Amino acid sequence: MTMAPERTDVRVELLVDQKWFAVCELTDLVPGRGVAALLPDGTQVAVFQDRAGRAHAIGNRDPFTGAYVLSRGLLGTAGGRPFVASPLLKQRFDLETGRCLDDETVSVTAYATRLGSPAPGPV
């Protein structure tokens, strides 16, 4: 028998258009890996949980190739700052600012994140 994953009732929320938007539950994230999520306007975001348990979100589109793949990148740190390396050409993007660490003229959107409680709903 397979058990369903334990739910923690903690949501990962992004600040989108000055409103908090829930994208997933914290238990949906694996530390060190990313997932892609779709915002209401159709924008794709890459959501990560770093190994310290913090949530981060940036645009999922790799500006060097145009492919929506940053959620599949590898996480690391440089100078104490978390980054994701694109799985295609390996450029690194700061998860807090969206700035490319390998080409300062390039960046992706970075989203403020927070952990929130679930919205009230039927029991």
Side-chain angles (χ1 to χ4, degrees), residues 84-106:
V84 63
S86 172
L88 298 178
L89 301 177
K90 309 303 184 232
Q91 284 89 356
R92 300 168 300 152
F93 295 90
D94 186 306
L95 290 177
E96 295 174 358
T97 66
R99 184 177 60 87
C100 180
L101 301 178
D102 303 298
D103 183 341
E104 62 185 40
T105 66
V106 178

Side-chain angles (χ1 to χ4, degrees), residues 58-101:
I58 60 172
N60 194 33
R61 183 178 177 274
D62 180 338
F64 291 94
T65 64
Y68 292 86
V69 295
L70 292 181
S71 62
R72 296 180 180 204
L74 298 174
L75 293 187
T77 58
R81 298 187 61 86
F83 70 81
V84 63
S86 172
L88 298 178
L89 301 177
K90 309 303 184 232
Q91 284 89 356
R92 300 168 300 152
F93 295 90
D94 186 306
L95 290 177
E96 295 174 358
T97 66
R99 184 177 60 87
C100 180
L101 301 178

